[in-house]
């Protein structure tokens, strides 16, 4: 029992280190999209790991911790996707080393189509 | 033993919260600020869960749940506003 | 079709109620079942998302297999991005590529897009018909076919079995 608790505590510690790496990535990355990549994703795994560690320490709390893990897994990708689309729509610039931007052509195509629909 | 490791873990989480506050203040455009707000929320969810064990109160987990859902809605509303206005 | 949709939504709501309450008291279970049915009737009567779900033993098996594959990918790519973050020279070459998916159902596409977003290094920006626009932190190939092979294929071969 004691061994399981110590393993759980170490998993929580690993999760907190992932959270710290996510925050460092948030500071170091050059543009918004890369910040979303480094920030929200690494911290998702960190949070899941720390909930799993608490789950190993206190097995009696499994119901609420499971609901928390599921809600983090469902809500997090949605919010980062919505933020990325809003940033691209606002015209937040990509960093200088970016290789391709296939999405901009598509966006211009949609804009032209909308204008045609409004004028007719 | 377990309490010591968990206290260190909570300290590291707090450090990541402080680092994302720096990005929140510096961030050149709105989306950067919303991203760092999102990261701060996720880090505080982990802190709340750890503190719930350290004080032995299961009710804190309900607070974490409600906080997570509310901040998700907040991010959605702000992103939608930035995209095409309310 | 409509009945199956409402039943699946009720089941999901009921499971969440049991997880939150953490008891097996018959009165509380009855209240939860009633509430879940009312909420499913209110919110899922018109949007028929769950009616595309296949309920067969094979689909169940592949769901668990998919969860395992997904967790392994999650940890692997997290370590990859973490090592990029702490390298002093910051070795990234980002870009937005387009990939194609074979999945037809909306539920399958949503789960595919969310899985791509959750594995760090790739981020779904938009989905238009069967084309996904993905921000990739380390662009290895700009070509549509090659990117599809590299990003989508590993998830899609399981999701095809589950959602068709």
């Amino acid at each position: 029992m004691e061994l399981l608790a110590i393993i759980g505590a170490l998993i929580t510690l690993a999760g907190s280190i992932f959270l710290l790496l996510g925050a460092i990535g948030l500071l170091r990355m050059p543009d918004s999209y890369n910040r979303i990549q480094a920030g929200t994703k690494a911290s998702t795994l960190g949070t899941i790991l720390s909930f799993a560690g608490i789950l190993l320490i206190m097995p009696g709390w499994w119901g609420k911790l499971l609901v928390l893990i599921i809600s983090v897994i469902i809500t997090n990708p949605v919010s980062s996707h919505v933020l990325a689309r809003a940033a691209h729509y606002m015209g937040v610039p990509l960093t200088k080393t970016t290789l391709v931007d296939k999405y901009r052509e598509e966006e211009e195509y949609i804009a032209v189509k909308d204008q045609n629909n409004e004028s007719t | 033993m377990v309490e010591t490791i968990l206290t260190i873990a909570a300290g590291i989480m707090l450090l990541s919260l402080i680092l994302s506050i720096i990005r929140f203040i510096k961030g050149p455009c709105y989306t950067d600020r919303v991203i760092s707000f999102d990261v701060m929320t996720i880090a505080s969810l982990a802190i709340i869960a750890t503190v719930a064990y350290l004080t032995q109160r299961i009710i804190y987990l309900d607070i974490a749940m409600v906080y997570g859902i509310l901040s998700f809605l907040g991010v959605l509303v702000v992103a939608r506003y930035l995209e095409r206005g309310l | 079709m409509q009945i199956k949709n409402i039943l699946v939504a009720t089941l999901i709501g009921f499971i969440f109620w049991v997880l939150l309450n953490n008891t097996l008291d018959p009165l509380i279970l009855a209240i939860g079942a009633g509430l879940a049915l009312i909420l499913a009737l209110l919110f899922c009567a018109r949007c028929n998302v769950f009616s595309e779900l296949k309920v067969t033993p094979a689909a169940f098996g592949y769901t668990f297999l998919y969860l395992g594959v997904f967790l392994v990918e999650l940890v692997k790519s997290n370590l990859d991005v973490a090592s990029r973050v702490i390298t002093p020279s910051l070795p990234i070459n980002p870009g937005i590529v387009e990939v194609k998916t074979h999945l037809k159902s909306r539920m399958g596409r949503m789960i595919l897009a969310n899985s791509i977003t959750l594995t760090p290094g790739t981020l779904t920006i938009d989905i238009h018909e069967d084309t996904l626009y993905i921000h990739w932190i380390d662009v290895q190939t700009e070509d549509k076919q090659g990117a599809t092979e590299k990003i989508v294929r590993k998830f899609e071969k399981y999701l095809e079995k589950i959602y068709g």
Side-chain angles (χ1 to χ4, degrees), chain A residues 18 21-22 24-26 28-31 33-34 36-38 41-45 48 60-64 66-67 70-74 76-78 80-82 84-85 88 94-95 97-103 105-106 109-110 113, chain C residues 15-16 18-22 70-71 74-75 78-79 81-90 92-98 113-128 133 135-140 142-144:
Chain A
F18 268 110
L21 284 175
I24 292 174
L26 193 68
R28 287 196 65 199
M29 286 294 181
D31 68 348
Y33 308 96
N34 290 316
I36 294 175
Q37 297 264 20
K41 263 54 118 356
S43 53
T44 307
L45 184 66
I48 293 172
W61 293 1
W62 64 278
K64 284 177 183 175
L66 202 61
V67 172
I70 292 174
S71 71
V72 164
I73 287 184
I74 291 177
N76 237 329
V78 177
S80 58
H81 147 73
V82 164
R85 205 176 61 177
H88 205 280
L94 291 142
T95 179
T97 54
T98 303
L99 294 175
V100 280
D101 188 358
K102 291 264 176 63
Y103 185 50
E105 301 153 20
E106 173 71 19
Y109 171 70
I110 292 174
K113 211 168 67 178
Chain C
I15 288 173
F16 266 85
V18 173
L19 283 180
L20 279 176
N21 274 297
N22 215 354
F70 172 68
L71 283 180
L74 185 65
V75 173
N78 256 301
L79 289 177
V81 170
S83 70
R84 275 174 212 279
V85 165
I86 53 176
T87 312
S89 61
L90 207 62
I92 56 170
N93 41 351
I96 298 178
V97 295
E98 50 181 358
N114 276 359
S115 312
I116 290 173
T117 309
L118 256 181
T119 51
T122 49
L123 166 66
T124 314
I125 291 185
D126 207 350
I127 177 166
H128 195 249
Y133 295 90
H135 182 268
W136 199 359
I137 206 168
D138 178 26
V139 177
Q140 293 159 7
E142 299 181 13
D143 153 58
K144 194 170 182 174

Side-chain angles (χ1 to χ4, degrees), chain C residues 53-63 161-162:
Chain C
L53 219 62
K54 272 195 222 161
V55 191
T56 56
F60 259 121
Y62 274 108
T63 308
K161 298 267 181 14
I162 303 173

